[in-house]
Amino acid sequence: MAPLSKAGTALAALREDLAGEVFAPDDPGYDEARTVFNAMIDRRPAVIAQCENAEDVVTAVRFARDLDLSVAVRGGGHSVAGMSLNDGGVVVDLRRMHEVTVHPASKAVRVAGGATMSHLDRACAPYALATTGGRASTTGVGGFVLGGGTGWLDRAFGLAVDNLLGVELVTAQGELINVTAEDHPELFWGLHGGGGNFGVATALTLRLHELPALSIAMVFCLPEHGPEVIRTYRDVIESGPDEAGGGALYLTGPPAPFIPPHLVGQLLAGALVTYAGPEEELRRIAGPLLAIPHEAEIVTAIPYADLQCMLDDPPGLRNYWSAEYLTGAPDAFVDAFCGLAASMPVPTGTQHVVWPQGGAIAAVEEDYPVPYRDAPWAVHPFGMWEDPADDERVVQWVKDVRAGVQPWATGAVYLNFTGDEGADRVVAGLGADNMRRLARLKRQYDPDNVFRFNHNIPPV
């Protein structure tokens, strides 16, 4: 850390030079600026630089380097581990940079680094175009894509990272570069799953796909029907087209119009089939699921952007998540999965989810560092609650789910679904051979590990 006199002079210069806004701990608005999605995270950066453009990002990174301060990058602020913040360092906050420019003729979109899924999806909707996005509209596009990116459309269109065409990146040296398959090809490879280890993504260019229609079928059942729901959903997906996706889950009945009042706050089993096509086709695909005795159902055509925000997780709750990717979902797995629902913390926002992969996810032949690509199913214990007194039991339940599905686990994991679970899990999320290649790339572009508030790849 630089002497206080130098730090004070540099901070004054940063306030003057930045087109955006700068927050230090004594500034009004500082606490609001440092608040993130996960209420378990309480960190106090020395400086929050809310950048207005790529030049601001360059200025903020150089400011941090000059003062030997650590750097965290905030896009959507959805990182369950709170990687958007640090203590005593600089936060490069991209939220003001949320422009989305659609190029319908070339089926591509340029997305600024601070845009959320809602910004992206709403911009593409008038053209009946879409790309794989997260399952919540408030998720930041940049961290989601660079970390791999799984969502409702991935079986039809591939992982989000499979649709990445280019990245505008500010490096650890404070240089702005454009990264494509032709320019910096090895770095381009590393950005396909390596997350924020190599710089600040000030813009991403993504491939778009035609999406003229989208429909959903959703059922909610009493928990005793859970095993039948999960097995039937599995069979519907495994025998259905790649355009069908979704997931099956246990959850606390939400106070929603489609849930009978007497089931609000009670454990329910359910399934959602998403379909990149018209409602009448979906009804045929989801017929066996709709035939199961259920308490509530929704079958409807829906704009993709509306689906994306239909299941949004509210900010300000406590969060702890994890995941396991599976070799398959046989009946023995279904029994184990449903058994684990019995100890799920209810009533909370916690969800116990299994969803499919396959389709376009598995069809991609590029050797990107996404070792979970070949797993046909994934389990995602999603702990979300309000009372700090529930911390221990919810965290333990998430760990119990991971342990309970180990007989079917591949060992690979999607890192965006995990918090800080140690270095071995980072290797599991990238692949051991990939990790060695990524570490060499890290040495080239970030030898001082400036960008370490992430699922970190130490330089070697």
Side-chain angles (χ1 to χ4, degrees), residues 250-284:
Y250 287 84
L251 78 168
T252 298
F258 50 84
I259 298 295
H262 70 284
L263 295 178
V264 173
Q266 306 299 310
L267 181 66
L268 298 176
L272 166 67
V273 181
T274 60
Y275 181 61
E279 178 185 340
E280 57 270 22
E281 294 179 11
L282 173 61
R283 285 188 177 274
R284 292 194 295 272

Side-chain angles (χ1 to χ4, degrees), residues 432-451:
D433 290 340
N434 292 329
M435 189 70 174
R436 287 186 283 271
R437 183 176 170 185
L438 289 163
R440 293 191 296 271
L441 191 63
K442 179 79 168 181
R443 171 66 67 183
Q444 180 181 352
Y445 285 94
D446 185 13
D448 299 321
N449 207 7
V450 171
F451 300 112

Side-chain angles (χ1 to χ4, degrees), residues 150-241:
T150 171
W152 303 127
L153 297 176
D154 53 13
R155 282 172 42 84
F157 300 153
L159 298 171
V161 78
D162 297 333
N163 294 289
L164 180 62
L165 301 175
V167 181
E168 182 185 89
L169 193 77
V170 176
T171 69
Q173 289 71 41
E175 297 177 356
L176 183 65
I177 62 174
N178 287 298
V179 184
T180 67
E182 292 76 32
D183 297 316
H184 311 282
E186 182 70 359
L187 179 56
F188 185 65
W189 171 85
L191 293 172
H192 283 69
N197 272 280
F198 306 104
V200 185
T202 52
L204 303 92
T205 302
L206 304 172
R207 181 184 297 109
L208 295 174
H209 303 262
E210 294 181 6
L211 187 66
L214 183 77
S215 50
I216 60 170
M218 186 160 52
V219 297
F220 293 98
C221 308
L222 296 175
E224 54 263 36
H225 294 293
E228 184 181 5
V229 170
I230 306 297
R231 285 194 297 268
T232 303
Y233 174 79
R234 173 200 63 195
D235 294 345
V236 163
I237 292 297
E238 291 186 346
S239 63

Side-chain angles (χ1 to χ4, degrees), residues 86-383:
N86 55 26
D87 279 314
V90 174
V91 171
V92 177
D93 187 334
L94 305 176
R95 283 178 290 172
R96 292 169 176 246
M97 301 168 54
H98 52 73
E99 301 82 7
V100 177
T101 305
V102 181
H103 302 283
S106 58
K107 293 184 181 175
V109 59
R110 187 181 191 274
V111 187
T116 65
M117 290 301 156
S118 183
H119 294 126
L120 171 60
D121 298 334
R122 297 291 178 191
C124 295
Y127 306 98
L129 296 170
T131 194
T132 300
R135 294 174 175 88
S137 69
T138 52
T139 301
V141 175
F144 169 78
V145 172
L146 298 181
T150 171
W152 303 127
L153 297 176
D154 53 13
R155 282 172 42 84
F157 300 153
L159 298 171
V161 78
D162 297 333
N163 294 289
L164 180 62
L165 301 175
V167 181
E168 182 185 89
L169 193 77
V170 176
T171 69
Q173 289 71 41
E175 297 177 356
L176 183 65
I177 62 174
N178 287 298
V179 184
T180 67
E182 292 76 32
D183 297 316
H184 311 282
E186 182 70 359
L187 179 56
F188 185 65
W189 171 85
L191 293 172
H192 283 69
N197 272 280
F198 306 104
V200 185
T202 52
L204 303 92
T205 302
L206 304 172
R207 181 184 297 109
L208 295 174
H209 303 262
E210 294 181 6
L211 187 66
L214 183 77
S215 50
I216 60 170
M218 186 160 52
V219 297
F220 293 98
C221 308
L222 296 175
E224 54 263 36
H225 294 293
E228 184 181 5
V229 170
I230 306 297
R231 285 194 297 268
T232 303
Y233 174 79
R234 173 200 63 195
D235 294 345
V236 163
I237 292 297
E238 291 186 346
S239 63
D242 293 349
E243 290 77 14
L249 78 165
Y250 287 84
L251 78 168
T252 298
F258 50 84
I259 298 295
H262 70 284
L263 295 178
V264 173
Q266 306 299 310
L267 181 66
L268 298 176
L272 166 67
V273 181
T274 60
Y275 181 61
E279 178 185 340
E280 57 270 22
E281 294 179 11
L282 173 61
R283 285 188 177 274
R284 292 194 295 272
I285 294 166
L289 197 62
L290 298 171
I292 297 173
H294 54 271
E295 306 300 307
E297 77 169 53
I298 299 173
V299 184
T300 185
I302 185 172
Y304 175 57
D306 290 352
L307 169 63
Q308 286 286 74
C309 62
M310 190 173 83
L311 302 175
D312 276 357
D313 316 312
L317 297 178
R318 304 174 78 78
N319 284 257
Y320 184 84
W321 321 332
S322 196
E324 291 291 344
Y325 281 70
L326 311 176
T327 57
D331 287 348
F333 159 77
V334 173
D335 292 341
F337 178 84
C338 295
L340 290 160
S343 58
M344 192 181 95
V346 175
T348 67
T350 298
Q351 298 179 8
H352 183 35
V353 187
V354 57
W355 57 49
Q357 294 215 115
I361 302 170
V364 172
E365 296 181 357
E366 280 83 356
D367 64 340
Y368 300 141
V370 283
Y372 49 87
R373 182 186 299 282
D374 295 334
W377 290 89
V379 167
H380 182 30
F382 186 96

